[in-house]
Structures are given as C-alpha cells and as structure tokens.
Coordinates of all heavy atoms in Angstrom, one line a residue:
G176 N -9.4 24.3 -63.8 CA -9.7 25.2 -62.8 C -10.4 24.5 -61.6 O -10.6 23.3 -61.6
G177 N -10.8 25.3 -60.7 CA -11.5 24.8 -59.5 C -10.5 24.4 -58.4 O -9.4 24.6 -58.4
L178 N -11.1 23.7 -57.4 CA -10.3 23.3 -56.3 C -9.6 21.9 -56.6 O -10.2 21.1 -57.3 CB -11.3 23.0 -55.1 CG -12.0 24.3 -54.6 CD1 -13.0 23.9 -53.5 CD2 -11.1 25.3 -54.0
P179 N -8.5 21.8 -56.0 CA -7.8 20.5 -56.1 C -8.6 19.4 -55.4 O -9.3 19.6 -54.4 CB -6.5 20.7 -55.4 CG -6.3 22.1 -55.2 CD -7.7 22.7 -55.3
E180 N -8.6 18.2 -56.0 CA -9.4 17.1 -55.4 C -9.1 16.8 -54.0 O -9.9 16.4 -53.2 CB -9.3 15.8 -56.3 CG -10.1 15.8 -57.5 CD -10.2 14.5 -58.2 OE1 -10.3 13.4 -57.5 OE2 -10.1 14.4 -59.4
S181 N -7.9 17.1 -53.6 CA -7.4 16.8 -52.2 C -8.1 17.7 -51.2 O -8.2 17.4 -50.1 CB -5.9 17.0 -52.1 OG -5.6 18.3 -52.4
Q182 N -8.7 18.8 -51.7 CA -9.4 19.8 -50.8 C -10.9 19.6 -50.9 O -11.6 20.3 -50.2 CB -9.0 21.2 -51.2 CG -7.6 21.6 -50.9 CD -7.3 23.0 -51.2 OE1 -8.0 23.6 -52.1 NE2 -6.4 23.6 -50.5
V183 N -11.4 18.7 -51.7 CA -12.8 18.4 -51.8 C -13.2 17.1 -51.1 O -12.8 16.1 -51.5 CB -13.3 18.4 -53.3 CG1 -14.8 18.1 -53.4 CG2 -12.9 19.7 -54.0
G184 N -14.0 17.3 -50.0 CA -14.4 16.1 -49.2 C -15.7 15.5 -49.7 O -15.8 14.3 -49.9
V185 N -16.6 16.3 -50.0 CA -18.0 15.9 -50.4 C -18.5 16.8 -51.4 O -18.4 18.0 -51.3 CB -18.9 15.9 -49.2 CG1 -20.3 15.5 -49.6 CG2 -18.4 14.9 -48.1
V186 N -19.2 16.3 -52.4 CA -19.9 17.1 -53.4 C -21.3 16.7 -53.4 O -21.7 15.5 -53.4 CB -19.3 16.8 -54.9 CG1 -20.2 17.6 -55.9 CG2 -17.9 17.2 -55.0
H187 N -22.2 17.7 -53.2 CA -23.6 17.5 -53.1 C -24.3 18.3 -54.1 O -24.1 19.6 -54.1 CB -24.1 17.9 -51.7 CG -25.6 17.8 -51.5 ND1 -26.2 16.6 -51.3 CD2 -26.5 18.7 -51.5 CE1 -27.5 16.8 -51.2 NE2 -27.7 18.1 -51.3
V188 N -25.0 17.7 -55.1 CA -25.6 18.5 -56.1 C -27.1 18.4 -55.9 O -27.7 17.3 -55.6 CB -25.3 17.9 -57.5 CG1 -26.0 18.6 -58.6 CG2 -23.8 17.9 -57.7
S189 N -27.8 19.5 -55.9 CA -29.2 19.6 -55.7 C -30.0 20.4 -56.7 O -29.6 21.6 -56.9 CB -29.5 20.2 -54.3 OG -30.9 20.3 -54.1
P190 N -31.0 19.8 -57.3 CA -31.8 20.6 -58.3 C -32.7 21.6 -57.5 O -33.4 22.4 -58.2 CB -32.6 19.5 -59.0 CG -32.7 18.4 -58.0 CD -31.4 18.4 -57.2
Q191 N -32.8 21.5 -56.2 CA -33.6 22.5 -55.5 C -33.0 23.9 -55.5 O -33.8 24.9 -55.4 CB -33.7 22.1 -54.0 CG -34.4 20.8 -53.8 CD -34.3 20.3 -52.4 OE1 -33.2 20.2 -51.9 NE2 -35.4 20.0 -51.7
I192 N -31.8 24.0 -55.8 CA -31.2 25.4 -55.9 C -31.0 25.7 -57.4 O -30.0 25.3 -58.0 CB -29.8 25.4 -55.2 CG1 -30.0 25.0 -53.7 CG2 -29.1 26.8 -55.3 CD1 -30.9 26.0 -52.9
R193 N -32.0 26.4 -57.9 CA -32.0 26.8 -59.3 C -32.8 28.1 -59.4 O -33.5 28.5 -58.5 CB -32.5 25.7 -60.2 CG -34.0 25.4 -59.9 CD -34.5 24.3 -60.8 NE -35.9 24.1 -60.7 CZ -36.5 23.4 -59.7 NH1 -35.8 22.8 -58.8 NH2 -37.8 23.3 -59.7
E194 N -32.7 28.7 -60.6 CA -33.5 29.9 -60.8 C -35.0 29.6 -60.8 O -35.4 28.5 -61.1 CB -33.1 30.4 -62.2 CG -33.6 31.8 -62.5 CD -33.0 32.4 -63.7 OE1 -32.1 31.8 -64.4 OE2 -33.4 33.5 -64.1
Q195 N -35.7 30.6 -60.4 CA -37.2 30.5 -60.4 C -37.7 30.2 -61.8 O -37.2 30.8 -62.8 CB -37.8 31.8 -59.9 CG -39.3 31.7 -59.8 CD -39.9 32.9 -59.2 OE1 -39.2 33.9 -58.8 NE2 -41.2 33.0 -59.0
E196 N -38.7 29.3 -62.0 CA -39.3 29.1 -63.2 C -40.4 30.2 -63.5 O -41.3 30.3 -62.7 CB -40.0 27.7 -63.2 CG -39.0 26.5 -63.0 CD -38.1 26.3 -64.2 OE1 -38.4 26.7 -65.3 OE2 -37.0 25.7 -63.9
F197 N -40.2 31.0 -64.5 CA -41.1 32.1 -64.8 C -42.2 31.8 -65.8 O -43.1 32.6 -66.0 CB -40.3 33.3 -65.2 CG -39.5 33.9 -64.1 CD1 -38.1 33.7 -64.1 CD2 -40.1 34.7 -63.2 CE1 -37.3 34.3 -63.0 CE2 -39.3 35.3 -62.1 CZ -38.0 35.1 -62.1
G198 N -42.1 30.6 -66.4 CA -43.2 30.3 -67.3 C -42.9 30.8 -68.7 O -41.8 31.3 -69.0
N199 N -43.9 30.7 -69.6 CA -43.8 31.1 -71.0 C -44.7 32.2 -71.3 O -45.9 32.1 -71.2 CB -44.1 29.9 -71.8 CG -43.8 30.1 -73.3 OD1 -43.6 31.3 -73.7 ND2 -43.8 29.1 -74.1
F200 N -44.2 33.4 -71.6 CA -45.0 34.5 -72.0 C -45.0 34.8 -73.5 O -45.0 36.0 -73.9 CB -44.5 35.8 -71.2 CG -44.9 35.8 -69.8 CD1 -43.9 35.4 -68.8 CD2 -46.2 36.0 -69.3 CE1 -44.3 35.4 -67.5 CE2 -46.5 36.0 -68.0 CZ -45.6 35.7 -67.1
Q201 N -45.0 33.8 -74.3 CA -45.0 33.9 -75.7 C -46.3 34.4 -76.3 O -46.4 35.1 -77.3 CB -44.6 32.6 -76.4 CG -43.2 32.1 -76.0 CD -42.1 32.8 -76.6 OE1 -42.2 33.3 -77.7 NE2 -41.0 33.0 -75.9
H202 N -47.4 34.0 -75.6 CA -48.7 34.4 -76.1 C -49.0 35.8 -75.9 O -48.8 36.4 -74.8 CB -49.8 33.5 -75.5 CG -49.6 32.0 -75.7 ND1 -49.7 31.4 -76.9 CD2 -49.2 31.1 -74.8 CE1 -49.4 30.2 -76.8 NE2 -49.1 29.9 -75.5
I203 N -49.6 36.5 -76.9 CA -49.9 37.9 -76.8 C -51.0 38.1 -75.7 O -52.0 37.4 -75.6 CB -50.5 38.4 -78.2 CG1 -49.4 38.3 -79.2 CG2 -51.0 39.9 -78.0 CD1 -49.8 38.6 -80.6
G204 N -50.7 39.1 -74.8 CA -51.7 39.4 -73.8 C -51.5 38.6 -72.5 O -52.1 39.0 -71.5
L205 N -50.7 37.5 -72.5 CA -50.6 36.7 -71.3 C -49.9 37.5 -70.2 O -50.3 37.3 -69.0 CB -49.8 35.4 -71.7 CG -49.7 34.4 -70.5 CD1 -51.0 34.0 -70.0 CD2 -48.9 33.2 -71.0
H206 N -48.9 38.3 -70.5 CA -48.2 39.0 -69.5 C -49.1 40.0 -68.8 O -49.1 40.1 -67.6 CB -47.0 39.8 -70.1 CG -46.1 40.4 -69.2 ND1 -45.3 39.8 -68.3 CD2 -45.9 41.8 -68.9 CE1 -44.6 40.6 -67.5 NE2 -45.0 41.8 -67.9
E207 N -49.9 40.7 -69.5 CA -50.9 41.6 -68.9 C -51.9 40.9 -68.1 O -52.2 41.4 -67.0 CB -51.6 42.5 -70.0 CG -50.6 43.4 -70.7 CD -49.7 42.8 -71.8 OE1 -50.0 41.6 -72.2 OE2 -48.7 43.4 -72.2
A208 N -52.4 39.8 -68.6 CA -53.4 39.0 -67.8 C -52.8 38.5 -66.5 O -53.4 38.5 -65.4 CB -53.9 37.9 -68.6
A209 N -51.5 38.1 -66.6 CA -50.8 37.6 -65.4 C -50.7 38.7 -64.4 O -50.8 38.5 -63.2 CB -49.5 37.0 -65.8
R210 N -50.4 39.9 -64.8 CA -50.2 41.0 -63.9 C -51.5 41.3 -63.1 O -51.5 41.6 -61.9 CB -49.8 42.3 -64.6 CG -48.3 42.2 -65.1 CD -47.6 43.4 -64.6 NE -46.2 43.3 -65.1 CZ -45.2 43.3 -64.3 NH1 -45.4 43.4 -63.0 NH2 -44.0 43.3 -64.8
V211 N -52.7 41.2 -63.8 CA -54.0 41.5 -63.2 C -54.2 40.4 -62.1 O -54.6 40.7 -61.0 CB -55.1 41.5 -64.3 CG1 -56.5 41.4 -63.6 CG2 -55.0 42.6 -65.2
Q212 N -54.0 39.1 -62.5 CA -54.2 38.1 -61.5 C -53.2 38.2 -60.3 O -53.6 38.0 -59.2 CB -54.0 36.7 -62.2 CG -55.1 36.3 -63.1 CD -56.4 36.1 -62.4 OE1 -56.4 35.5 -61.3 NE2 -57.5 36.7 -62.9
Q213 N -52.0 38.6 -60.6 CA -51.0 38.8 -59.5 C -51.5 39.8 -58.6 O -51.3 39.7 -57.3 CB -49.7 39.1 -60.2 CG -48.6 39.3 -59.2 CD -47.2 39.7 -59.9 OE1 -47.1 39.4 -61.0 NE2 -46.3 40.3 -59.1
A214 N -52.1 40.9 -59.0 CA -52.6 42.0 -58.2 C -53.7 41.4 -57.2 O -53.8 41.9 -56.1 CB -53.1 43.1 -59.0
I215 N -54.4 40.5 -57.7 CA -55.5 39.9 -56.9 C -55.0 39.0 -55.8 O -55.3 39.0 -54.7 CB -56.6 39.2 -57.8 CG1 -57.2 40.2 -58.7 CG2 -57.6 38.4 -57.0 CD1 -58.1 39.6 -59.8
V216 N -54.1 38.0 -56.3 CA -53.6 37.0 -55.4 C -52.5 37.5 -54.5 O -52.4 37.0 -53.4 CB -53.1 35.8 -56.3 CG1 -52.5 34.7 -55.4 CG2 -54.3 35.2 -57.1
G217 N -51.7 38.3 -55.0 CA -50.5 38.8 -54.3 C -49.3 38.3 -55.0 O -49.2 37.2 -55.5
R218 N -48.3 39.1 -55.0 CA -47.0 38.8 -55.8 C -46.3 37.6 -55.3 O -45.8 36.8 -56.0 CB -46.1 40.0 -55.7 CG -44.9 39.9 -56.5 CD -44.1 41.2 -56.5 NE -42.9 41.0 -57.3 CZ -41.9 41.8 -57.3 NH1 -41.9 42.9 -56.6 NH2 -40.8 41.6 -58.1
F219 N -46.3 37.4 -54.0 CA -45.6 36.3 -53.4 C -46.2 34.9 -53.7 O -45.6 33.9 -53.9 CB -45.4 36.4 -51.9 CG -44.6 35.4 -51.2 CD1 -43.2 35.4 -51.3 CD2 -45.2 34.4 -50.4 CE1 -42.4 34.4 -50.7 CE2 -44.4 33.4 -49.8 CZ -43.0 33.5 -49.9
Y220 N -47.6 34.9 -53.8 CA -48.3 33.6 -53.9 C -48.7 33.4 -55.4 O -49.1 32.2 -55.7 CB -49.5 33.6 -53.0 CG -49.1 33.6 -51.6 CD1 -49.2 34.8 -50.8 CD2 -48.6 32.5 -51.0 CE1 -48.8 34.8 -49.5 CE2 -48.3 32.5 -49.6 CZ -48.3 33.6 -48.9 OH -48.0 33.6 -47.6
Y221 N -48.7 34.4 -56.2 CA -49.2 34.1 -57.6 C -48.3 33.2 -58.4 O -47.1 33.4 -58.4 CB -49.3 35.5 -58.4 CG -49.8 35.3 -59.8 CD1 -51.1 34.8 -60.0 CD2 -49.0 35.5 -60.8 CE1 -51.5 34.5 -61.3 CE2 -49.4 35.3 -62.1 CZ -50.7 34.8 -62.4 OH -51.1 34.5 -63.6
R222 N -48.9 32.2 -59.0 CA -48.1 31.3 -59.8 C -48.6 31.5 -61.3 O -49.7 31.2 -61.7 CB -48.5 29.8 -59.4 CG -47.7 28.8 -60.1 CD -48.0 27.4 -59.7 NE -47.6 27.2 -58.3 CZ -48.5 26.8 -57.3 NH1 -49.7 26.6 -57.6 NH2 -48.0 26.7 -56.1
R223 N -47.6 31.9 -62.1 CA -47.9 32.1 -63.5 C -48.1 30.8 -64.2 O -47.7 29.8 -63.7 CB -46.7 32.8 -64.2 CG -46.5 34.2 -63.7 CD -45.1 34.7 -64.1 NE -44.8 36.0 -63.5 CZ -44.2 36.1 -62.3 NH1 -44.0 35.0 -61.6 NH2 -43.9 37.3 -61.8
P224 N -48.8 30.8 -65.4 CA -48.9 29.5 -66.1 C -47.6 28.9 -66.4 O -46.6 29.5 -66.8 CB -49.6 29.9 -67.4 CG -50.3 31.2 -67.1 CD -49.4 31.9 -66.1
N225 N -47.4 27.6 -66.2 CA -46.2 26.8 -66.4 C -45.0 27.4 -65.6 O -43.9 27.4 -66.1 CB -45.9 26.8 -67.9 CG -47.0 26.1 -68.7 OD1 -47.5 25.1 -68.3 ND2 -47.4 26.7 -69.8
A226 N -45.3 27.9 -64.4 CA -44.2 28.6 -63.7 C -44.4 28.2 -62.2 O -45.2 27.4 -61.8 CB -44.3 30.1 -63.9
E227 N -43.6 28.9 -61.4 CA -43.7 28.7 -59.9 C -43.8 30.0 -59.2 O -43.2 31.0 -59.7 CB -42.6 27.8 -59.4 CG -41.2 28.4 -59.6 CD -40.1 27.4 -59.1 OE1 -40.4 26.4 -58.4 OE2 -39.0 27.7 -59.4
S228 N -44.5 30.1 -58.1 CA -44.6 31.3 -57.4 C -43.4 31.5 -56.5 O -42.6 30.6 -56.3 CB -45.8 31.3 -56.5 OG -45.7 30.3 -55.5
S229 N -43.2 32.7 -55.9 CA -42.2 33.0 -55.0 C -42.3 32.0 -53.8 O -41.3 31.6 -53.2 CB -42.2 34.4 -54.6 OG -41.8 35.2 -55.7
A230 N -43.6 31.7 -53.4 CA -43.8 30.8 -52.3 C -43.3 29.4 -52.6 O -42.7 28.7 -51.8 CB -45.3 30.8 -52.0
D231 N -43.4 29.0 -53.9 CA -42.9 27.7 -54.3 C -41.4 27.7 -54.2 O -40.8 26.7 -53.7 CB -43.3 27.4 -55.8 CG -44.7 27.3 -56.0 OD1 -45.4 26.8 -55.1 OD2 -45.2 27.6 -57.1
V232 N -40.7 28.8 -54.6 CA -39.3 28.9 -54.5 C -38.8 28.8 -53.1 O -37.9 28.1 -52.7 CB -38.8 30.1 -55.2 CG1 -37.3 30.3 -55.0 CG2 -39.1 30.1 -56.7
Y233 N -39.6 29.6 -52.2 CA -39.2 29.6 -50.8 C -39.3 28.2 -50.2 O -38.4 27.8 -49.5 CB -40.2 30.5 -50.1 CG -39.9 30.6 -48.6 CD1 -39.0 31.5 -48.1 CD2 -40.6 29.8 -47.7 CE1 -38.8 31.6 -46.7 CE2 -40.4 29.8 -46.3 CZ -39.4 30.8 -45.9 OH -39.2 30.8 -44.5
D234 N -40.3 27.4 -50.5 CA -40.5 26.1 -50.0 C -39.4 25.2 -50.5 O -38.8 24.4 -49.8 CB -41.8 25.5 -50.5 CG -43.0 26.1 -49.7 OD1 -42.8 26.7 -48.6 OD2 -44.1 25.9 -50.2
R235 N -39.0 25.3 -51.8 CA -38.0 24.5 -52.4 C -36.6 24.8 -51.8 O -35.9 23.9 -51.4 CB -37.9 24.8 -53.9 CG -36.9 24.1 -54.7 CD -37.1 24.1 -56.2 NE -37.4 25.4 -56.8 CZ -36.6 26.3 -57.1 NH1 -35.3 26.2 -56.9 NH2 -37.0 27.4 -57.7
V236 N -36.3 26.0 -51.6 CA -35.0 26.4 -51.0 C -34.9 26.1 -49.5 O -33.9 25.7 -49.0 CB -34.7 27.9 -51.3 CG1 -33.4 28.4 -50.6 CG2 -34.6 28.1 -52.8
S237 N -36.0 26.3 -48.8 CA -36.1 25.9 -47.4 C -35.8 24.4 -47.2 O -35.1 24.0 -46.3 CB -37.5 26.3 -46.8 OG -37.6 27.7 -46.8
S238 N -36.4 23.6 -48.1 CA -36.2 22.2 -48.0 C -34.7 21.9 -48.3 O -34.1 21.0 -47.6 CB -37.0 21.5 -49.1 OG -36.8 20.1 -49.1
F239 N -34.1 22.6 -49.2 CA -32.6 22.4 -49.4 C -31.8 22.7 -48.2 O -31.0 21.9 -47.8 CB -32.1 23.3 -50.6 CG -30.6 23.4 -50.6 CD1 -29.9 22.4 -51.2 CD2 -30.0 24.5 -50.1 CE1 -28.5 22.5 -51.3 CE2 -28.6 24.6 -50.1 CZ -27.9 23.6 -50.7
W240 N -32.1 23.8 -47.5 CA -31.4 24.2 -46.3 C -31.6 23.2 -45.2 O -30.7 22.8 -44.4 CB -31.8 25.6 -45.8 CG -31.1 26.7 -46.6 CD1 -31.7 27.5 -47.5 CD2 -29.7 27.0 -46.6 NE1 -30.7 28.4 -48.0 CE2 -29.5 28.1 -47.5 CE3 -28.6 26.4 -46.0 CZ2 -28.3 28.6 -47.8 CZ3 -27.3 27.0 -46.3 CH2 -27.2 28.1 -47.1
D241 N -32.8 22.7 -45.1 CA -33.1 21.7 -44.0 C -32.3 20.4 -44.2 O -31.7 19.9 -43.3 CB -34.6 21.3 -44.1 CG -35.5 22.4 -43.5 OD1 -35.0 23.3 -42.9 OD2 -36.7 22.3 -43.8
V242 N -32.2 19.9 -45.5 CA -31.4 18.8 -45.8 C -29.9 19.0 -45.5 O -29.2 18.2 -44.9 CB -31.6 18.3 -47.2 CG1 -30.6 17.2 -47.6 CG2 -33.1 17.7 -47.3
L243 N -29.5 20.2 -46.0 CA -28.1 20.6 -45.8 C -27.7 20.6 -44.3 O -26.7 20.0 -43.9 CB -27.7 21.9 -46.5 CG -26.3 22.4 -46.4 CD1 -25.4 21.5 -47.2 CD2 -26.2 23.8 -46.8
L244 N -28.5 21.3 -43.5 CA -28.1 21.6 -42.1 C -28.4 20.4 -41.2 O -27.7 20.1 -40.3 CB -28.9 22.8 -41.6 CG -28.5 24.1 -42.3 CD1 -29.4 25.2 -41.8 CD2 -27.1 24.4 -42.1
D245 N -29.4 19.6 -41.6 CA -29.8 18.5 -40.7 C -29.2 17.1 -41.1 O -29.0 16.3 -40.2 CB -31.3 18.3 -40.7 CG -32.1 19.5 -40.1 OD1 -31.4 20.2 -39.3 OD2 -33.3 19.6 -40.3
D246 N -28.9 17.0 -42.4 CA -28.3 15.7 -42.8 C -26.9 15.8 -43.4 O -26.0 15.1 -42.9 CB -29.2 15.1 -43.9 CG -30.6 14.8 -43.4 OD1 -30.8 14.5 -42.2 OD2 -31.6 14.8 -44.3
T247 N -26.7 16.6 -44.4 CA -25.4 16.6 -45.1 C -24.3 17.1 -44.2 O -23.3 16.5 -44.1 CB -25.5 17.5 -46.3 OG1 -26.7 17.1 -47.1 CG2 -24.3 17.5 -47.2
L248 N -24.4 18.3 -43.6 CA -23.3 18.8 -42.8 C -23.0 18.0 -41.6 O -21.8 17.8 -41.3 CB -23.6 20.3 -42.4 CG -23.6 21.3 -43.6 CD1 -23.8 22.7 -43.0 CD2 -22.3 21.2 -44.3
P249 N -24.0 17.5 -40.8 CA -23.6 16.6 -39.7 C -22.8 15.4 -40.1 O -21.9 14.9 -39.4 CB -24.9 16.2 -39.1 CG -25.8 17.4 -39.4 CD -25.4 17.8 -40.8
K250 N -23.1 14.8 -41.3 CA -22.4 13.6 -41.8 C -21.0 14.0 -42.1 O -20.1 13.2 -41.9 CB -23.1 13.0 -43.0 CG -24.4 12.3 -42.6 CD -25.1 11.8 -43.9 CE -26.5 11.3 -43.5 NZ -27.3 10.9 -44.7
T251 N -20.8 15.2 -42.7 CA -19.4 15.6 -43.1 C -18.6 16.0 -41.8 O -17.4 15.9 -41.9 CB -19.4 16.7 -44.1 OG1 -20.1 17.9 -43.5 CG2 -20.1 16.3 -45.4
A252 N -19.2 16.4 -40.7 CA -18.5 16.7 -39.5 C -17.7 15.5 -39.0 O -16.6 15.6 -38.5 CB -19.5 17.2 -38.5
S253 N -18.3 14.3 -39.2 CA -17.6 13.1 -38.7 C -16.4 12.8 -39.6 O -15.5 12.1 -39.2 CB -18.5 11.9 -38.8 OG -18.9 11.6 -40.1
E254 N -16.3 13.4 -40.8 CA -15.2 13.3 -41.7 C -14.1 14.4 -41.4 O -13.2 14.6 -42.2 CB -15.6 13.2 -43.1 CG -16.6 12.1 -43.4 CD -17.1 12.2 -44.8 OE1 -16.5 12.8 -45.7 OE2 -18.2 11.6 -45.0
N255 N -14.4 15.2 -40.4 CA -13.4 16.3 -40.1 C -13.4 17.4 -41.1 O -12.3 18.0 -41.4 CB -12.0 15.8 -39.8 CG -11.3 16.6 -38.7 OD1 -12.0 17.4 -38.1 ND2 -10.0 16.5 -38.6
L256 N -14.5 17.6 -41.8 CA -14.6 18.7 -42.8 C -15.2 19.9 -42.1 O -16.2 19.8 -41.4 CB -15.5 18.3 -44.0 CG -15.0 17.1 -44.7 CD1 -16.0 16.6 -45.8 CD2 -13.7 17.3 -45.4
R257 N -14.6 21.1 -42.2 CA -15.0 22.3 -41.5 C -15.5 23.4 -42.4 O -15.9 24.4 -41.9 CB -13.9 22.8 -40.6 CG -13.5 21.8 -39.6 CD -12.3 22.3 -38.8 NE -11.2 22.7 -39.7 CZ -10.0 22.4 -39.5 NH1 -9.6 21.8 -38.4 NH2 -9.1 22.8 -40.4
T258 N -15.4 23.3 -43.7 CA -15.8 24.4 -44.6 C -16.8 23.9 -45.6 O -16.7 22.8 -46.1 CB -14.6 24.9 -45.3 OG1 -13.6 25.3 -44.4 CG2 -14.9 26.0 -46.2
C259 N -17.8 24.7 -45.8 CA -18.9 24.4 -46.8 C -18.9 25.5 -47.8 O -19.0 26.7 -47.5 CB -20.2 24.3 -46.1 SG -21.6 24.0 -47.2
L260 N -18.8 25.1 -49.1 CA -18.8 26.0 -50.2 C -20.1 25.7 -51.0 O -20.3 24.6 -51.5 CB -17.6 25.9 -51.1 CG -17.6 26.7 -52.4 CD1 -17.6 28.2 -52.1 CD2 -16.4 26.3 -53.3
I261 N -20.9 26.7 -51.2 CA -22.2 26.6 -52.0 C -22.0 27.4 -53.2 O -21.8 28.6 -53.1 CB -23.4 27.0 -51.2 CG1 -23.5 26.1 -49.9 CG2 -24.7 26.9 -52.0 CD1 -24.7 26.5 -49.0
V262 N -22.2 26.8 -54.4 CA -22.1 27.5 -55.7 C -23.4 27.4 -56.3 O -24.0 26.3 -56.5 CB -21.0 26.8 -56.6 CG1 -20.9 27.5 -57.9 CG2 -19.7 26.8 -55.9
T263 N -24.0 28.6 -56.7 CA -25.3 28.6 -57.3 C -25.2 29.6 -58.5 O -24.2 30.3 -58.7 CB -26.4 29.1 -56.4 OG1 -26.1 30.5 -56.0 CG2 -26.5 28.3 -55.1
H264 N -26.2 29.6 -59.3 CA -26.3 30.5 -60.4 C -27.1 31.7 -60.0 O -28.1 31.7 -59.4 CB -26.9 29.8 -61.6 CG -27.4 30.8 -62.7 ND1 -26.5 31.5 -63.4 CD2 -28.6 31.1 -63.2 CE1 -27.2 32.2 -64.3 NE2 -28.5 32.0 -64.1

C-alpha cells in the first residue's frame, strides 16, 4: 500500500508530532489530586506527573511547523516538489 516511490520526493519523520504524554495514573488518588492542582494552575499549563502540559505540546508542535515551513519545504521547492502530505496519529 501507500504511494508509489516515484511520487515520493522527500520523507521527513519527526518525533515532535505525537500524542500528548498523559503520565501514569496507576496510583490510587493521583487522578483526583491532579485535578485539584490543575484547577489551581490552569488546564493549559498544568503538567501531570511524568507527563506534559498542553503548553508543552503547543511548544513541541510549533517547533515542528517552524522547521517544516522554514527549512524542509523551501529545500524541497528547489526539487520542484509542490505537494506536502503530513500523516499523524
């Protein structure tokens, strides 16, 4: 399956585009304690134990877009590539 190799000019794989790390809520009461802390700090900025906040994800994804738009795509333009396909989960 997939695209024929003749139609693929560049493949760029980035770990920056992945699901948010939500941490481990195996311990009893950790979820409830996290909710209390989240209410104090704010949902966007709260970082659960062994996890990342929405702000962390925003920074990571913004960095991906910066590299894609400033570095990767301009380099492929010189190769006469006009289409960009981004596949994520």
Side-chain angles (χ1 to χ4, degrees):
L178 297 173
E180 279 191 42
S181 63
Q182 291 184 333
V183 177
V185 175
V186 175
H187 176 77
V188 178
S189 175
Q191 293 171 307
I192 301 299
R193 65 180 186 278
E194 190 171 358
Q195 182 175 1
E196 299 290 338
F197 288 104
N199 187 346
F200 286 103
Q201 299 286 328
H202 303 290
I203 296 173
L205 184 59
H206 187 69
E207 291 77 17
R210 289 232 182 240
V211 170
Q212 288 295 317
Q213 181 178 341
I215 295 168
V216 175
R218 184 175 180 191
F219 185 73
Y220 295 102
Y221 178 67
R222 184 180 296 121
R223 295 165 189 84
N225 300 315
E227 60 184 347
S228 69
S229 294
D231 295 329
V232 175
Y233 180 87
D234 288 343
R235 176 166 46 83
V236 173
S237 293
S238 177
F239 165 80
W240 281 112
D241 289 344
V242 169
L243 180 70
L244 297 176
D245 296 340
D246 296 335
T247 306
L248 292 181
K250 288 177 186 172
T251 60
S253 65
E254 298 173 24
N255 210 16
L256 301 174
R257 297 179 306 225
T258 304
C259 177
L260 173 66
I261 299 175
V262 180
T263 67
H264 165 65

